[in-house]
Amino acid sequence: MTAPVLGRDYRLLWSAAVSSRFGDALRTPALALLAATLTRDPRAVAAVTVAGLLPPLLFGLLGGVYADRWDRRRTMAAVDGLRAVVVAALAVVVATGRAGVAVLVGAAFLLAAFGALFDAASFALLPAVVPPAALPAANGRLQAGAAVAGGFLGAPLAGLLFTLSAPLPFAIDALTFALAALLVLTLRPVPTPRSCSCRPGESGRKTRVGGHKCKIAERTGRGSVWREAGEGVRWIRGDTILWRITVLTAGTNLAISGLMAVLVLYALDVLRLPSGGYGLFMSAAVLGGLGGALGAGRLAGRLGTVPALRTVLTAQTVALVGFALVRHPVPAGLALAVFAAGTTVWNSLWAAYGQRHVPAGLLGRVGAAQRMVGLLTAPVGAALAGLAGAAYGVAPVAGAVAVVFGLVTAAAWRVLRPVAPVPTADRPTTVGTAARPGPHRSR
């Protein structure tokens, strides 16, 4: 199978995403380090992390609405420009010694809120930049670039730069946001798709898209923001395969967040890993994720998207069982690498499936709803793992995570079935898109 030709616009979009991810990898650890220098109160330090996790759940659906209403290319550029201003202001505050925990909480919350809009617009823009058959590979390469920029470059540099000068990671992050905004603006303009609604019983021209009877808006008038947000959720609920994939993703995130919550303690106490070797141990996950991201397109092309998703879950379950059974860091690191590879493949194929089956005018809202539903279980899994680890020790948590993943995998083999081809008369119709500009994403 020949590799897809993704084109100039995809390379620009990829470069913008990688630049932004590099800055994120500098800023996130720097925020935690700065918070720890201001206070040793665990609640205050944790508040900075929580502030960055809440906006996608609070504002994700609204971000999807405006990603469908506004020009997505300009929206992404504007958001990155605003984030550059926020982080630059934070760097100035840190340099002048005026930073407090409240400032860090506010900055983390604001940046994550802007990020909810950016992620929705980015998810919806990608299908206008690459052909449908190339979406698995395109999503995989985006994740691969993010893994290299974040895991191999940004994360190791963050602590060093913070040690040299506390404002430095934030100043560089502001530059990466500004660069990403400029790169996105160089993309060829893509017409904003006409709005598409799945509300039954309305008058207007209808078309069948992905098994739904959808109304294509004849005018540009807008409805209620919350009604439009609900259309994204209703679309997912009406598409059997997409809904099942989304629910399965929520199940996997329950397990993954539980494992990540106790992973450092598991590595140190159960695997007897020296503290100095933890970074090397985690690099196995980065390498595995990189390999999975690069191979996602090939796997989807060989097996098909839905069979590939079931196969990936099976491999991850086997890896988790091995991880829970071994007591040496080397085989545990290999198992973690396989598991991380499966995670990036799943993320790439899950995103590509939605991008190929959802009409252009709904992509922002559907993508936001996918992410929100998929992430709802993450804080629950982390909390349960913490409670179980405190009561029984961290070793049983790994076994429990493997059991949960096994149940999700069994459910996937039962409910995920490849869909028969749609008859020609009912094939999905592109909603409000122009000719593509040549060959062109979290659990």
Side-chain angles (χ1 to χ4, degrees), residues 160-428:
L160 175 61
L161 293 175
F162 184 84
T163 302
L164 293 175
S165 174
L168 189 55
F170 305 110
I172 296 176
D173 187 28
L175 292 176
T176 63
F177 276 135
L179 175 61
L182 292 174
L183 287 169
V184 169
L185 283 176
T186 61
L187 291 169
R188 282 171 283 193
V190 177
T192 303
R194 288 174 291 174
S195 62
C196 176
S197 162
C198 291
R199 295 170 60 84
E202 297 183 15
S203 59
R205 183 163 57 89
K206 303 281 186 175
T207 183
R208 180 175 294 277
V209 186
H212 298 260
K213 283 289 188 179
C214 286
K215 177 188 176 185
I216 303 176
E218 301 292 352
R219 295 178 296 276
T220 59
R222 302 294 186 182
S224 160
V225 167
W226 290 110
R227 190 191 74 179
E228 290 185 43
E231 287 169 359
V233 178
R234 285 194 294 274
W235 176 274
I236 296 178
R237 290 291 290 117
D239 187 297
T240 302
I241 296 296
L242 191 57
W243 173 246
R244 289 175 177 175
I245 292 174
T246 302
V247 172
L248 290 168
T249 299
T252 61
N253 281 336
L254 179 72
I256 291 171
S257 61
L259 178 64
M260 297 308 297
V262 300
L263 185 58
V264 63
L265 294 176
Y266 189 89
L268 298 176
D269 298 341
V270 178
L271 301 177
R272 304 296 180 184
L273 185 73
S275 57
Y278 184 70
L280 181 61
F281 179 72
M282 290 305 297
S283 68
V286 177
L287 284 171
L290 177 60
L294 293 175
R298 291 178 179 272
L299 186 63
R302 183 178 297 273
L303 300 179
T305 299
V306 172
L309 288 172
R310 297 186 306 187
T311 302
V312 163
L313 285 182
T314 303
Q316 286 186 285
T317 300
V318 173
L320 276 179
V321 170
F323 182 83
L325 291 177
V326 300
R327 291 294 183 265
H328 191 279
V330 172
L334 292 174
L336 190 63
V338 173
F339 181 78
T343 298
T344 54
V345 171
W346 177 277
N347 288 342
S348 300
L349 300 188
W350 177 39
Y353 184 90
Q355 289 163 337
R356 293 175 71 172
H357 290 81
V358 177
L362 268 171
L363 266 173
R365 285 165 284 172
V366 171
Q370 280 182 279
R371 286 188 294 276
M372 190 189 74
V373 174
L375 290 172
L376 282 175
T377 57
V380 177
L384 289 176
L387 293 173
Y392 307 107
V394 295
V397 173
V401 167
V403 170
V404 171
F405 226 90
L407 293 174
V408 173
T409 300
W413 279 90
R414 180 177 178 83
V415 303
L416 282 187
R417 303 287 181 186
V419 180
V422 181
T424 303
D426 288 337
R427 285 194 184 277

Side-chain angles (χ1 to χ4, degrees), residues 28-63:
T28 303
L31 275 174
L33 289 169
L34 183 57
T37 63
L38 295 173
T39 177
R40 288 297 181 180
D41 185 345
R43 295 169 297 180
V45 175
V48 178
T49 300
V50 172
L53 295 176
L54 285 178
L57 298 178
L58 296 176
F59 308 124
L61 290 178
L62 292 180

Side-chain angles (χ1 to χ4, degrees), residues 2-7 11 130-131 134 141 438-440:
T2 58
V5 178
L6 298 175
R11 290 193 295 271
V130 302
R141 292 182 187 182
H440 168 191

